[in-house]
Amino acid sequence: MSENLDPFEISQMQLSEACKIKGYDKEIYETLCQPERFIQLKITIKMDNGHLKTFKGFRSQYNSARGPMKGGIRWHPDESASLVKALSAWMTWKTACVDIPLGGAKGGIICNPKDMSDRELETLARGYIRHIADFIGPHIDVPAPDVYTNPQIMAWMMDEYEMIVRHHAPSVITGKPLPIGGSAGRAIATAKGGVFCIREAAKDIGLDLKGAKVAIQGYGNAGSWAAKLLNDDFGCKVIAVSDSKGGIYNPDGIDPHAAADHKEKTRSVVGLNGTKQITNEDLLELECDVLVPAALENVITKKNASSIDTKIIAELANGPTTPSADNILYDNNILLIPDFLCNAGGVTVSYFEMVQGYYQYFWTEEEVFVALDRIMTNAYRSTVEHAKQVNTHNRMGAYMVSIDRVIEAMQLRGWI
């Protein structure tokens, strides 16, 4: 039988299993398994060649019981309604897992920004906000950058929203450039939070990170920063990294800064001097101490899970491991740090950015990271403890923490 790889159906399967473990009945599951609101829209813009082009966009607002909804905006050729819904669900569990007062949402546009000019990108960004302006706001739903979006795109979106509402609203968007209300540390927050989790996981299994071998699939913002932080702060040996065009391997270690510079110049890590070219699939099965999937979803499945040869998997990507693979990895005694815990550093510092925007008082990077460390460490410990209590893997531990908090908020509000 083929494995179900539909992202939203996977998220529902995971939720259903967690509800059963916790003893919640089917009625509770039914209240949690669909978004509160799902918006589908089309945006027509004039391209640089003078022709009109229509793009399909989405915004999924999953749950607002714990606070304003929060979630990034992805621009990708393979974006889909299913994926956006799944990511909005995982954002709901993510904010609950790290115990910040936010709900979950996600947005996306089907496009290839790599083939678009800055003018086209700005027009698309502003068009998207015009379509959803009535449904977002600093106290309603706060977007942020995600795959193939960046601080400049967030700046255009915030500016468009402020022109519509006719007043400043810096906390309507996070991940903005520093001069217009961004937070120190936001650019590396996802990686930083993930590294804090890896540090804690290494303590649990007695792994000395100095000299530990690390492989990172996905050398974008989160993956490249994770490589640099693990190398520079903990003395890890990065033996392999990859991007959409392929991977590179050197058992003696790769300089993560040189890899980042090479990618900046050539648009890929492939071809870095002193490395051997490998595939993304090869990278996942390398013998290493820490494997970091930091690309897209469904890369570790029942087909390759038995071939994974690592001690720790740190999911900086969203949804990189399927439910069937989770069970195989658990049986093989691989410690997995689940996505909506491991990559929650980004949304946590986005929350800090919202708070700073409300008060118009901004923190130093050191203050940001001290607070982030405390939150990520507490969330990791809570997840592991819940998993151990019922002898299950850490993903279910994270779900147990999260759904308890969301259900409690819904009960207190009288929704259920």
Side-chain angles (χ1 to χ4, degrees), residues 217 280-286 291 299-300 304 308-309:
Q217 187 200 45
N280 272 284
E281 293 74 23
D282 292 335
L283 181 145
L284 292 170
E285 298 180 12
L286 288 173
L291 174 62
V299 296
I300 301 177
N304 66 352
I308 302 296
D309 188 6

Side-chain angles (χ1 to χ4, degrees), residues 205 207 287-290 309-313 333-336:
I205 64 172
L207 173 65
E287 187 277 319
C288 62
D289 297 302
V290 182
D309 188 6
T310 190
K311 298 180 178 70
I312 296 170
I313 295 177
N333 203 32
I334 294 173
L335 192 161
L336 184 141

Side-chain angles (χ1 to χ4, degrees), residues 9 20 23 52 72 78 94 165 171 178 214 271 320 346 404 412:
E9 291 180 12
K20 288 175 183 175
L52 297 177
D78 297 326
K94 185 183 301 188
V165 300
S171 293
L178 284 173
V214 177
D404 274 352
L412 290 169

Side-chain angles (χ1 to χ4, degrees), residues 166-180:
R166 308 296 294 170
H167 61 76
H168 283 292
S171 293
V172 70
I173 298 276
T174 60
K176 304 181 298 294
L178 284 173
I180 54 173

Side-chain angles (χ1 to χ4, degrees), residues 178 199 292 337 342:
L178 284 173
R199 179 196 66 198
V292 183
I337 310 170
C342 190

Side-chain angles (χ1 to χ4, degrees), residues 49-229:
N49 62 11
H51 294 295
L52 297 177
K53 186 170 183 178
T54 298
F55 297 86
K56 183 183 288 187
F58 314 96
R59 188 71 181 171
S60 178
Q61 298 175 324
Y62 199 85
N63 189 286
S64 60
R66 286 175 46 82
M69 292 169 284
K70 188 84 186 73
I73 299 171
R74 298 160 54 98
W75 288 6
H76 195 276
D78 297 326
E79 199 59 64
S80 69
S82 174
L83 181 55
V84 170
K85 288 179 182 178
L87 292 166
S88 70
W90 290 327
M91 280 299 303
T92 300
W93 316 134
K94 185 183 301 188
T95 56
C97 184
V98 294
D99 203 16
I100 54 178
L102 299 172
K106 208 74 177 184
I109 299 175
I110 301 172
C111 67
N112 187 356
K114 293 181 180 180
D115 294 337
M116 297 172 67
S117 69
D118 284 349
R119 188 203 67 81
E120 290 168 339
L121 295 173
E122 179 177 356
T123 305
L124 185 61
R126 291 181 181 277
Y128 181 78
I129 291 300
R130 284 196 297 274
H131 278 80
I132 67 168
D134 289 341
F135 305 100
I136 65 171
H139 303 287
I140 303 169
D141 176 10
V142 180
D146 204 297
V147 174
Y148 293 158
T149 56
N150 56 38
Q152 178 58 73
I153 290 171
M154 296 305 106
W156 291 326
M157 288 184 172
M158 181 192 72
D159 183 68
E160 188 67 24
Y161 180 83
E162 289 183 342
M163 287 197 291
I164 291 168
V165 300
R166 308 296 294 170
H167 61 76
H168 283 292
S171 293
V172 70
I173 298 276
T174 60
K176 304 181 298 294
L178 284 173
I180 54 173
S183 174
R186 178 61 185 88
I188 68 172
T190 301
K192 194 80 170 177
V195 168
F196 289 145
C197 289
I198 292 169
R199 179 196 66 198
E200 296 304 304
K203 292 178 187 176
D204 285 350
I205 64 172
L207 173 65
D208 184 357
L209 285 176
K210 186 172 184 180
K213 293 181 289 184
V214 177
I216 298 181
Q217 187 200 45
Y219 215 62
N221 181 67
S224 61
W225 274 110
K228 295 170 189 174
L229 292 168

